[in-house]
Amino acid sequence: MNILGTTLVFIASLSVCLGFFLQTSEVQVILGESVILPCNGSGFPAEELQLHWEAMGKDVISLSGGVITGGSAFEGRVNFLKDPAESKDFSLVLSDVMPNDGDVYECLWEGNKPICSVLLHVLMDPNLFPDHVEVFEGEDITLECFGNIPKNKPWEDIYIQWLKDDKEILRLSSGKMDVSIDYSIIALPPRHDICRGVFSLTIMSVSVFDQGDYQCRYKSTDYEAPRSGFPERHMLMVWAASSGMTDLMDSVSSASVTSHTHTSTSVPTWTAVASSQIEAGRTAPAHAYAASTQTEVSSTAPERAEARRFLSGQRDPLEFLSDEKTPWIRIGLISGVLLVTAVVLGLLLLSGRI
């Protein structure tokens, strides 16, 4: 027992000398929120602090000579919770957490002595993004999608696919984005966000034709089949920019005819876009896109709706005839009355009654 006790004391003393008191913890955070990765540095001298946080070999944040440096994959999203020298608190704060931020984080003293180890779990809350989205015609809409891809994944190896009603409308592959010209003006986020796992689709100036079921897919590795992003799908409902429900239904009917005309073609035409355009550092939608050749909903929908109300008996015929949009009916009616009057007068003259 004396030998065992001596050995334990020796190991404990050696751990203290080497600074190997490893603090371990496990933290959960919801997608898009901020999280604190705890680390207590009260047992370490404050003079000439040399701290380094890393996640499976990737630089997160460092403090050396009073200078704080953030890792490229975490730039603008990470900082120390407090001044480590004054507070003896080495905890860090990570904001706008993405799926690929889930990892094992380690705080190293003098670059090689582990102090803290934190396992971070990123939770995907399905209540964050409703699967049913409604928008008015003419507005812009962004359908959110997130995926878990390696932070060091080369740009040319990133694969993203968007489907509408089970038909591909956009594909990013080999650094190039292809967009079907059968659809509205659409775009992906900037390259920086895509590399973080943000694959959201922006549709500009939405039309009734854009209504449908949208799905987002991506590849985490090169050899796997495309997997579903989060959320898996969006059902987009487009409301016509009209004050009446009749006009809305008429626009939807017209859009259905137009949609059928497009889907009757054999294969959609695709337009290749250079990767340099996608890399533009502007906010979405600032990337290359293809304009839709789809004809907008006819502006004569209100007239067809009025005619439908008249034929179905929902509108007084006299009210319909008095409408300023139908002067030819009034002219015809007046002409008919005059013609009948002339015929009656002619008959009366022939009979000698007048």
Side-chain angles (χ1 to χ4, degrees):
M1 292 296 295
N2 292 335
I3 297 177
L4 180 58
T6 303
T7 304
L8 292 176
V9 171
F10 175 77
I11 294 176
S13 302
L14 182 62
S15 298
V16 171
C17 294
L18 297 178
F20 281 174
F21 277 128
L22 183 62
Q23 307 168 38
T24 60
S25 58
E26 193 168 342
V27 180
Q28 294 182 341
V29 61
I30 297 177
L31 175 70
E33 295 189 354
S34 299
V35 63
I36 297 176
L37 305 185
C39 185
N40 185 356
S42 59
F44 296 86
E47 296 79 10
E48 298 183 1
L49 281 179
Q50 292 187 10
L51 299 176
H52 178 69
W53 276 90
E54 66 177 28
M56 300 301 290
K58 298 180 290 290
D59 295 335
V60 179
I61 190 171
S62 299
L63 172 61
S64 179
V67 178
I68 297 176
T69 305
S72 59
F74 300 88
E75 187 174 359
R77 299 192 299 126
V78 65
N79 204 347
F80 287 102
L81 179 63
K82 302 176 182 178
D83 184 349
E86 295 182 358
S87 64
K88 301 293 185 70
D89 187 351
F90 301 162
S91 304
L92 64 81
V93 179
L94 181 62
S95 61
D96 193 19
V97 175
M98 290 291 106
N100 61 1
D101 288 328
D103 218 329
V104 176
Y105 292 77
E106 286 188 318
C107 180
L108 306 178
W109 172 263
E110 295 182 347
N112 56 9
K113 302 172 184 177
I115 303 173
C116 305
S117 178
V118 183
L119 175 60
L120 178 62
H121 297 279
V122 180
L123 305 180
M124 308 289 192
D125 187 356
N127 297 321
L128 289 176
F129 307 101
D131 56 4
H132 187 84
V133 182
E134 297 184 5
V135 64
F136 281 101
E137 196 174 18
E139 295 181 345
D140 298 345
I141 185 67
T142 297
L143 305 178
E144 304 287 356
C145 180
F146 303 91
N148 190 353
I149 60 174
K151 283 186 168 63
N152 58 352
K153 191 176 183 67
W155 170 251
E156 293 75 15
D157 294 340
I158 295 178
Y159 180 93
I160 304 172
Q161 181 187 45
W162 273 93
L163 306 177
K164 176 180 178 286
D165 297 330
D166 295 324
K167 294 183 179 180
E168 186 179 63
I169 61 172
L170 180 146
R171 180 176 63 251
L172 173 65
S173 180
S174 301
K176 297 189 301 181
M177 185 171 70
D178 296 330
V179 180
S180 170
I181 64 174
D182 281 346
Y183 294 88
S184 299
I185 301 175
I186 55 181
L188 290 174
R191 174 173 174 172
H192 171 73
D193 288 336
I194 292 177
C195 293
R196 293 178 55 213
V198 183
F199 309 144
S200 304
L201 179 72
T202 297
I203 308 175
M204 290 155 280
S205 188
V206 173
S207 69
V208 178
F209 176 70
D210 295 315
Q211 183 169 277
D213 179 35
Y214 289 80
Q215 299 178 61
C216 170
R217 297 179 179 176
Y218 72 100
K219 290 183 179 181
S220 180
T221 58
D222 299 335
Y223 54 82
E224 71 173 8
R227 63 171 69 180
S228 297
F230 174 81
E232 183 176 349
R233 64 199 317 130
H234 293 277
M235 178 59 70
L236 179 62
M237 177 69 179
V238 180
W239 293 97
S242 172
S243 59
M245 184 59 68
T246 304
D247 292 346
L248 170 64
M249 297 306 296
D250 192 77
S251 299
V252 173
S253 176
S254 175
S256 299
V257 174
T258 306
S259 176
H260 176 74
T261 303
H262 284 290
T263 55
S264 63
T265 57
S266 56
V267 179
T269 305
W270 297 88
T271 302
V273 182
S275 60
S276 59
Q277 293 176 297
I278 306 176
E279 298 172 14
R282 295 171 288 174
T283 57
H287 303 285
Y289 45 77
S292 170
T293 58
Q294 178 250 336
T295 305
E296 298 296 332
V297 177
S298 173
S299 61
T300 60
E303 288 82 351
R304 294 199 306 274
E306 293 296 331
R308 181 181 300 173
R309 291 176 58 196
F310 169 70
L311 294 176
S312 61
Q314 298 178 4
R315 184 173 180 182
D316 188 350
L318 295 180
E319 179 188 356
F320 181 73
L321 294 177
S322 64
D323 199 328
E324 294 182 358
K325 297 180 181 178
T326 55
W328 57 272
I329 296 181
R330 297 198 302 273
I331 295 173
L333 180 61
I334 295 172
S335 299
V337 172
L338 292 177
L339 179 61
V340 171
T341 302
V343 171
V344 171
L345 290 176
L347 294 175
L348 292 176
L349 286 173
L350 290 176
S351 62
R353 295 183 180 182
I354 58 174

